[in-house]
């Protein structure tokens, strides 16, 4: 219950009490009342009396009265605080105005009356500025040196850890490209061998190309409905015109000849024959191929 509601209820109760007191004290016109009017008058007085009794019972509670007292004290404290706060605000405004006036007077005095003081202050500031910059540079240099020392320590630790890990992995069989000189030497040798083989093959191909250039087509050799394909003609007829071409063709065909050792009872088991199916090439046997396959 708020204080305003309590005040309103108490004011209504006081008004009813005064009204009842006046009704009881006034004895005029009571004899002239009829029975119905007398009954209505008594019922009205009884209702007001019951309302007063109910209000008195409500406010007969100690807890409610203590609550209302606390609220009233709180309102009093708040009103007192508001008064003090207003006084403090006004006092601060007066102090701020005084400070502003003093500041304005000081500025006017510095600008108009004492230019020499300003000059000395500026000179002192200029003199102290280089010292401050030198101190900052020295501090920056010391910080940089400390940072370099800490980073160098971390770098040494990391290199040691990396060396230990690399050694462990080498023991397990891992390969490191930055230290595998032996492997790179093998690869280099393999490339050199390939280059020599390619040069030899090119040297062998040069006379073949010359033979191709010297290929002679017989005038009676003609194809129906189209010109002669010189590549096919050189493949089929080149052996007739050049011994090297014949030997090269024979070597190519001899690569696919195998011994017929399947039939042990046959007396001709040493004969040769062309393989009936495609022959797979032999697997690589050098370290370079093995490194690529692993």
């Amino acid at each position: 219950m708020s204080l305003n509601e309590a005040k309103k209820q108490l004011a209504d109760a006081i008004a009813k009490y005064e009204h009842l007191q006046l009704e009881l004290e006034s004895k005029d016109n009571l004899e002239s009342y009829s029975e119905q009017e007398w009954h209505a008058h008594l019922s009205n007085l009884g209702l007001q009396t019951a309302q007063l009794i109910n209000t008195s019972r409500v406010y007969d509670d100690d807890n409610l009265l203590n609550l209302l007292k606390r609220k009233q004290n709180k309102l009093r404290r708040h009103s007192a605080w508001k008064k003090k706060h207003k006084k403090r605000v006004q006092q601060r405004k007066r102090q701020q105005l005084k400070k502003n006036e003093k500041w304005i007077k000081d500025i006017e005095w510095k600008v108009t009356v004492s230019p020499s003081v300003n000059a000395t202050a500026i000179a002192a500031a200029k003199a102290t500025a280089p010292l401050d910059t030198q101190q900052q540079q020295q501090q920056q240099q010391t910080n940089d040196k400390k940072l370099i020392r800490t980073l160098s320590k971390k770098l040494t630790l990391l290199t040691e850890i990396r060396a230990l890990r690399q050694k462990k992995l080498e023991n397990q069989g891992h390969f490191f490209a930055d230290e595998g000189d032996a492997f790179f030497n093998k690869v280099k040798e393999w490339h050199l061998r390939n280059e020599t083989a390619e040069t030899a093959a090119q040297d062998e191909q040069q006379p073949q190309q010359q033979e191709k250039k010297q290929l002679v087509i017989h005038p009676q050799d003609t194809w129906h409905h189209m010109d002669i394909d010189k590549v096919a003609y050189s493949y089929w007829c080149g052996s007739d015109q050049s011994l090297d071409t014949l030997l090269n063709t024979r070597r190519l065909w001899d690569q696919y000849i195998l011994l017929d050792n399947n039939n042990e009872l046959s007396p001709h088991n040493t004969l040769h024959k062309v393989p009936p199916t495609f022959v797979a090439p032999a697997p690589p046997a050098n370290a370079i191929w093995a490194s690529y396959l692993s």
Side-chain angles (χ1 to χ4, degrees):
M1 182 183 292
S2 63
L3 287 175
N4 292 325
E5 292 178 356
K7 288 179 181 179
K8 187 176 180 181
Q9 289 180 1
L10 290 173
D12 292 337
I14 291 168
K16 288 177 182 178
Y17 177 75
E18 291 177 352
H19 179 69
L20 286 173
Q21 192 174 5
L22 290 173
E23 289 290 335
L24 292 173
E25 288 178 357
S26 64
K27 297 179 180 179
D28 299 336
N29 299 325
L30 291 176
E31 296 177 355
S32 63
Y33 283 172
S34 62
E35 186 177 357
Q36 188 175 1
E37 291 176 352
W38 181 256
H39 182 69
H41 182 66
L42 289 176
S43 63
N44 188 12
L45 292 175
L47 179 62
Q48 291 180 1
T49 305
Q51 289 177 354
L52 283 174
I53 292 168
N54 189 15
T55 305
S56 64
R57 286 178 180 176
V58 169
Y59 286 97
D60 196 13
D61 189 4
D62 294 334
N63 294 324
L64 180 61
L65 293 175
N66 291 327
L67 178 63
L68 293 173
K69 285 180 182 179
R70 287 197 297 272
K71 288 184 177 181
Q72 191 172 7
N73 292 328
K74 185 177 179 180
L75 288 174
R76 289 175 183 172
R77 290 195 302 272
H78 184 66
S79 61
W81 177 83
K82 284 179 74 175
K83 290 179 181 178
K84 291 180 181 179
H85 182 66
K86 287 180 180 179
K87 289 181 181 179
R88 285 196 295 269
V89 170
Q90 291 175 359
Q91 187 176 1
R92 286 176 186 173
K93 287 182 179 179
R94 288 194 296 269
Q95 290 177 358
Q96 189 66 33
L97 290 173
K98 288 181 180 179
K99 287 181 180 179
N100 292 335
E101 290 176 357
K102 186 178 179 181
W103 180 72
I104 291 168
K105 289 180 181 179
D106 292 337
I107 294 296
E108 290 177 353
W109 180 78
K110 287 180 181 180
V111 172
T112 58
V113 179
S114 61
S116 60
V117 175
N118 294 330
T120 54
I122 292 168
K126 288 181 179 179
T128 55
L131 296 175
D132 294 336
T133 54
Q134 290 178 0
Q135 290 177 358
Q136 289 177 0
Q137 289 177 358
Q138 291 177 358
Q139 186 68 27
Q140 186 67 28
Q141 289 177 0
T142 53
N143 292 330
D144 293 338
K145 289 179 181 179
K146 289 180 181 178
L147 182 62
I148 289 167
R149 285 197 293 270
T150 54
L151 291 175
S152 61
K153 289 179 181 179
K154 289 182 180 179
L155 181 61
T156 53
L157 290 173
L158 289 173
T159 51
E160 290 177 358
I161 292 168
R162 180 176 175 272
L164 292 172
R165 182 176 177 275
Q166 189 171 356
K167 188 175 180 181
K168 182 179 178 182
L169 292 174
E170 284 178 355
N171 293 329
Q172 292 177 359
H174 290 272
F175 169 72
F176 294 95
D178 54 350
E179 295 182 358
D181 294 334
F183 177 77
F184 281 110
N185 290 328
K186 290 181 181 179
V187 174
K188 190 175 181 181
E189 291 176 359
W190 179 74
H191 280 294
L192 290 173
R193 287 197 300 271
N194 286 339
E195 288 178 358
T196 54
E198 288 177 358
T199 53
Q202 289 177 0
D203 294 337
E204 291 179 358
Q205 287 177 0
Q206 285 179 358
Q208 292 178 2
Q209 291 176 358
Q210 291 177 0
E211 289 177 359
K212 288 180 182 178
K213 291 179 181 178
Q214 296 175 0
L215 183 66
V216 178
I217 298 173
H218 198 273
Q220 294 181 358
D221 292 337
T222 57
W223 289 6
H224 297 288
H225 308 295
M226 63 182 300
D227 296 333
I228 293 174
D229 188 357
K230 293 182 180 180
V231 177
Y233 188 82
S234 64
Y235 179 76
W236 293 107
C237 300
S239 300
D240 295 335
Q241 299 182 10
S242 174
L243 181 61
D244 293 331
T245 307
L246 177 62
L247 293 174
N248 190 13
T249 305
R250 179 58 187 269
R251 291 192 194 96
L252 291 173
W253 280 96
D254 288 343
Q255 291 178 1
Y256 299 98
I257 294 175
L258 298 175
L259 291 174
D260 189 6
N261 295 325
N262 294 326
N263 192 1
E264 296 179 355
L265 299 175
S266 176
H268 303 288
N269 56 358
T270 58
L271 295 177
H272 298 76
K273 70 171 184 177
V274 177
T277 59
F278 180 76
V279 179
N286 55 0
I288 297 169
W289 278 100
S291 65
Y292 281 107
L293 293 175
S294 60

